[in-house]
Amino acid sequence: MKVILKQDVKNLGKKGELVNASNGYARNYLFPNGLAVEANATAMNELKNKESAQKYHKAEEIKAAKEYAEQLDGKTFKVTAKAGANGRLFGSVTAKDVAEKIKETLGIDIDKRKISMDDIKQFGTAEAEVKVYQGISARIYVQVAEA
């Protein structure tokens, strides 16, 4: 009997999959416990609609990520910091500071964990990589100047 799983079932399949289960297993275990529904016409139609909606949302996310990467790529963000007499900073410029500057400048909300860079401890320009989406990244430059 073909069933659509509502939850992950060990040794059978993952949530949302269409699988074959024996009649007894489906009627006596899967259906009573709410783990699956019979794969009739309406259930199949719902499954197809959910899959198409997921594909659409993923395509929209990728499109937005590419736009963000295009906006970010090659840009220089100027961050100010206090320093001592020899040009060494008090503390350092971190990914959190860069994420805040990106949000302030372009209005793009980037998680600080998506920015890969070393902490900057002196004045100058450093390179950083922003991972906007899986497989989509942009290279930015961080210029540190005296406050």
Side-chain angles (χ1 to χ4, degrees), residues 99-110:
E100 288 173 359
K101 192 66 177 180
I102 291 172
K103 183 168 182 153
E104 176 187 314
T105 308
L106 298 177
I108 300 172
D109 196 15
I110 302 285

Side-chain angles (χ1 to χ4, degrees), residues 72-91:
L72 288 171
D73 204 30
K75 288 267 197 295
T76 302
F77 296 95
K78 189 173 184 179
V79 178
T80 57
K82 292 182 181 180
N86 61 354
R88 301 261 311 156
L89 299 178
F90 293 132

